[in-house]
């Protein structure tokens, strides 16, 4: 395994901290905390640098809130100073770690994303659909992944990749094993099921941390390598904790399921959830927000209902004078852009027939409002 040297020094280097500041502040210059930090930029960056050099750095308190798209999640946000540190780490570690990931891992990576993940899976499905024998898929989903990542396992993986980099591992331990905020949930429970005082310290990563996105891929890359090199599955795609394997032998996929589950349980200390299924490729696969078939894909029904509801809401806001036509146009063009990624004839027709803005009109690709 390739080893890297002097990573900690590169993280606290002045040029890297300044670059991290610009990334953290991008498109947020108007915010009070960013403005306050920027007003004394040199002093604040020096303070961060010294706290890292002398190992006095501690992670600040998290601000907690919920997001409800695509499902309810607990998000933990750090103050601006800590976000600069997160970016300083990310800028140095991400290029090195990303090079080790398999090509068909699409979550939280530059140049990847849900659309490319769906494109790749559909490409393989079309290929499989042309075969003389039916192909099958194994769809895997890890139970409460971000809330169940084992800290010892994660630090062990980092320790192997950055052997001898004790200062770097100290910093990552500070972030992963936060001494004042637990991130984890007991198996099978949701964030609503227990009070914050009963969350677990030894597992979990905060959704909202930049480093959490990177470390989530670092952990599951171990599984990716196992599937590709030990199980030798060619048609395998992953978007974060959502994974799909394709193969003409259903028995082989059942065996893969058992071996993957064993690997997750014994090596990564994770579990599959009840959404894990095996089915025929020709029947379609639900993946990254789409229902994908070999010849077409459409938006999931739940997502379609939410999009229609949002468009109706925009119409009401516009008619009430709460937003202007430019806001409407920008939003609708964004939706039309999304529609280019799936078969949206029915949705475009619904917009044309049901949505009208009385004081103007805007046209998107194949649709009118």
């Amino acid at each position: 395994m390739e080893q890297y040297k002097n990573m900690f020094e590169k993280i606290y280097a002045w040029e890297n901290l300044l670059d991290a500041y610009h990334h953290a502040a991008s498109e947020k210059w108007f915010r009070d905390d960013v403005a306050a930090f920027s007003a004394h930029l040199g002093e604040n960056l020096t303070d961060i640098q010294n706290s890292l050099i002398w190992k006095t750095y501690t992670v600040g308190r998290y601000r907690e809130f919920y997001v409800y798209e695509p499902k309810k999640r607990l998000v933990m946000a750090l103050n601006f100073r800590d976000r600069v540190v997160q970016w300083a780490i990310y800028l140095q570690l991400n290029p090195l770690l990303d090079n080790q990931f398999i090509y068909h891992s699409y979550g939280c990576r530059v140049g990847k994303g849900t659309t490319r993940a769906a494109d790749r899976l559909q490409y393989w499905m079309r290929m499989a659909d042309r075969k003389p024998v039916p192909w099958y898929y194994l769809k895997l989903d890890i139970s409460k992944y971000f809330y169940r990542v084992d800290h010892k396992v994660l630090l062990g993986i980092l320790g192997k990749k950055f052997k001898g980099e004790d200062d770097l591992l100290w910093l990552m331990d500070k972030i992963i094993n936060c001494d004042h905020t637990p991130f984890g949930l007991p198996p099978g429970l949701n964030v609503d099921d227990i009070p914050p005082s009963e969350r677990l310290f030894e597992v979990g990563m905060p959704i909202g941390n930049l480093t959490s996105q990177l470390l989530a891929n670092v952990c599951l890359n171990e599984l990716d390598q196992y599937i590709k090199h030990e199980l030798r599955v060619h048609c395998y795609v992953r978007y974060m904790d959502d994974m799909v394997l394709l193969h003409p032998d259903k028995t082989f996929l059942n065996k893969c399921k058992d071996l993957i589950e064993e690997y997750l349980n014994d090596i990564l200390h994770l579990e599959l959830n009840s959404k894990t299924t095996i089915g025929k490729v020709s029947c379609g696969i639900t993946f990254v927000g789409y229902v994908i078939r070999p010849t077409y894909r459409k938006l999931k029904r739940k997502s379609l209902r939410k999009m229609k509801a949002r468009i109706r809401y925009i119409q009401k806001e516009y008619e009430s004078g709460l937003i202007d036509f430019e806001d409407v146009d920008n939003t609708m063009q964004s939706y039309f852009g999304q529609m280019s990624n799936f078969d949206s004839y029915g949705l475009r027709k619904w917009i044309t027939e049901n949505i009208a803005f009385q004081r103007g009109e805007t046209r998107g690709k194949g649709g009118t409002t």
Side-chain angles (χ1 to χ4, degrees):
M1 180 179 295
E2 186 175 356
Q3 300 294 327
Y4 304 103
K5 302 297 182 182
N6 304 317
M7 296 309 304
F8 188 64
E9 289 82 354
K10 293 176 182 178
I11 288 171
Y12 69 65
W14 182 263
E15 295 79 6
N16 187 59
L17 290 176
L18 187 60
D19 199 12
Y21 157 74
H22 285 293
H23 278 87
S26 179
E27 300 182 3
K28 300 182 182 70
W29 304 102
F30 60 90
R31 290 175 46 165
D32 292 341
D33 56 343
V34 179
F37 190 96
S38 303
H40 304 281
L41 179 60
E43 296 174 21
N44 287 321
L45 291 183
T46 300
D47 179 65
I48 290 175
Q49 188 179 54
N50 287 333
S51 72
L52 293 175
I53 292 173
W54 298 107
K55 294 186 181 179
T56 59
Y57 173 74
T58 57
V59 179
R61 293 286 173 175
Y62 286 88
R63 178 172 60 90
E64 299 184 7
F65 58 93
Y66 291 96
V67 296
Y68 297 88
E69 295 293 340
K71 59 184 178 181
K72 186 175 181 180
R73 296 178 185 270
L74 173 64
V75 176
M76 297 183 175
L78 287 167
N79 59 46
F80 185 72
R81 178 179 184 272
D82 289 297
R83 293 202 298 275
V84 172
V85 175
Q86 294 266 317
W87 267 105
I89 295 169
Y90 182 85
L91 289 173
Q92 292 301 318
L93 298 194
N94 183 63
L96 305 179
L97 295 172
D98 189 83
N99 284 337
Q100 300 177 11
F101 300 156
I102 65 169
Y103 184 84
H104 297 303
S105 166
Y106 289 89
C108 299
R109 298 179 66 192
V110 176
K112 302 289 185 174
T114 56
T115 300
R116 291 199 173 186
D119 288 345
R120 171 48 57 177
L121 179 58
Q122 190 170 40
Y123 171 81
W124 280 334
M125 292 173 70
R126 284 173 177 162
M127 177 190 72
D129 199 47
R130 299 189 188 105
K131 302 295 183 181
V133 297
W135 275 51
Y136 298 87
Y137 69 86
L138 168 60
K139 187 174 184 298
L140 304 163
D141 195 2
I142 297 175
S143 179
K144 300 290 183 295
Y145 176 53
F146 271 87
Y147 302 113
R148 294 295 306 159
V149 172
D150 188 289
H151 294 178
K152 287 184 178 179
V153 170
L154 183 54
L155 286 168
I157 295 170
L158 292 174
K160 292 178 182 178
K161 293 183 181 297
F162 299 102
K163 190 174 182 180
E165 292 286 285
D166 294 342
D167 292 338
L168 171 63
L169 296 175
W170 165 82
L171 178 58
M172 300 312 297
D173 182 78
K174 276 286 183 182
I175 293 171
I176 294 168
N177 286 312
C178 184
D179 58 5
H180 55 69
T181 304
F183 311 127
L185 296 175
L189 296 183
N190 297 311
V191 291
D192 294 333
D193 296 335
I194 59 173
S197 60
E198 295 182 18
R199 294 177 196 153
L200 306 177
F201 277 96
E202 65 272 15
V203 296
M205 294 189 298
I207 298 175
N209 269 11
L210 182 62
T211 53
S212 293
Q213 300 175 15
L214 175 60
L215 294 176
N217 273 328
V218 168
C219 186
L220 284 187
N221 180 61
E222 301 296 300
L223 178 62
D224 294 342
Q225 301 297 335
Y226 175 73
I227 291 173
K228 295 296 290 184
H229 299 296
E230 299 296 327
L231 302 184
R232 298 186 179 277
V233 178
H234 173 70
C235 298
Y236 166 67
V237 59
R238 178 173 68 82
Y239 185 89
M240 294 313 293
D241 59 333
D242 219 357
M243 298 158 277
V244 178
L245 295 73
L246 305 183
H247 200 272
D249 188 346
K250 188 176 181 180
T251 302
F252 174 77
L253 288 180
N254 271 297
K255 182 179 179 181
C256 285
K257 175 185 174 296
D258 294 338
L259 292 172
I260 290 170
E261 189 166 24
E262 181 179 336
Y263 185 91
L264 285 170
N265 296 164
D266 297 344
I267 306 300
L268 299 183
H269 301 169
L270 296 167
E271 297 178 351
L272 295 175
N273 64 21
S274 58
K275 297 178 183 178
T276 298
T277 55
I278 293 178
K280 283 188 175 183
V281 167
S282 59
C283 295
I285 305 171
T286 302
F287 184 60
V288 294
Y290 301 110
V291 178
I292 305 174
R293 294 179 182 270
T295 56
Y296 71 93
R297 67 175 177 247
K298 60 183 180 180
L299 205 61
K300 287 170 60 176
R301 187 172 299 177
K302 182 179 180 181
S303 300
L304 182 61
R305 287 198 301 267
K306 288 182 178 179
M307 185 177 285
K308 287 183 176 180
R310 177 61 181 163
I311 292 173
R312 289 194 189 98
Y313 179 75
I314 293 168
Q315 183 184 31
K316 289 180 181 179
E317 280 196 316
Y318 179 62
E319 291 174 349
S320 301
L322 299 175
I323 58 176
D324 59 25
F325 184 74
E326 184 178 357
D327 292 329
V328 172
D329 186 55
N330 290 337
T331 302
M332 292 306 301
Q333 294 303 326
S334 175
Y335 278 133
F336 285 126
Q338 293 179 43
M339 291 177 207
S340 66
N341 296 320
F342 60 91
D343 296 273
S344 57
Y345 173 79
L347 177 57
R348 292 171 186 271
K349 183 178 180 182
W350 175 85
I351 292 174
T352 302
E353 295 176 351
N354 295 279
I355 304 299
F357 298 98
Q358 300 300 322
R359 283 170 280 179
E361 66 176 20
T362 178
R363 296 183 181 274
K365 299 177 182 178
T368 305
T369 66

